[in-house]
Amino acid sequence: MGALDYFSDLFEGVRRRKKRKQLQTVELKVRMDCDGCELKVKNAVSSMKGVKSVDISRKEQKLTVTGYVEPNKVLKKVKATGKRAEIWPYVPYSLVAHPYAAQTYDKKAPAGYVRKVEYNSLPNPNTTDEQYTAFFSEDNANGCTIM
């Protein structure tokens, strides 16, 4: 039957297969104040195709959606409910090299989290200010001659 399959594919053309979405977890920061807000967001997201589970933590203002969904579509659906939403901007405190840098520390972050920042945007320790302070440190043997 190999020849028959070959000719049927040849005459039908190439079939395009849909690309299957991967199972993923989408985390969003959503402004929710009451049970009604929480229920409204949960119902909106649960009605989406491909959603397996929805978890909401009102204390952290966090929505976690697991399923065969795209993050941008989930974000758009939540914003359609009238709530302020964004992709979860925080990472656990232990994963950041400089948790108290000005760009990463956020007073509004939940306990144990800091803001997610690219390492390239952190200040460079080899700037001229850092070099000047190295001149006058105790480790510099020639520091007294400069003064």
Side-chain angles (χ1 to χ4, degrees), residues 45-139:
V45 175
S46 297
S47 67
M48 291 180 66
K49 184 178 178 183
V51 173
K52 296 296 180 191
S53 69
V54 178
D55 296 321
I56 294 179
S57 172
R58 194 179 343 152
K59 182 179 178 184
E60 293 181 341
Q61 304 280 314
K62 184 176 183 180
L63 168 70
T64 305
V65 180
T66 305
Y68 299 97
V69 293
E70 294 179 21
N72 292 334
K73 288 186 179 180
V74 175
L75 181 63
K76 188 175 179 179
K77 188 74 166 182
V78 171
K79 284 186 175 182
T81 63
K83 302 294 172 198
R84 256 196 261 157
E86 62 180 318
I87 301 293
W88 186 251
Y90 305 115
V91 293
Y93 179 84
S94 59
L95 298 179
V96 179
H98 306 288
Y100 288 108
Q103 293 88 359
T104 59
Y105 184 72
D106 188 0
K107 290 181 183 178
K108 296 178 183 177
Y113 289 96
V114 292
R115 193 162 277 281
K116 190 185 313 182
V117 175
E118 296 294 326
Y119 290 108
N120 297 338
S121 65
L122 290 175
N124 186 4
N126 294 329
T127 60
T128 56
D129 295 337
E130 190 68 31
Q131 293 171 354
Y132 290 140
T133 57
F135 281 139
F136 301 108
S137 70
E138 293 177 4
D139 297 334

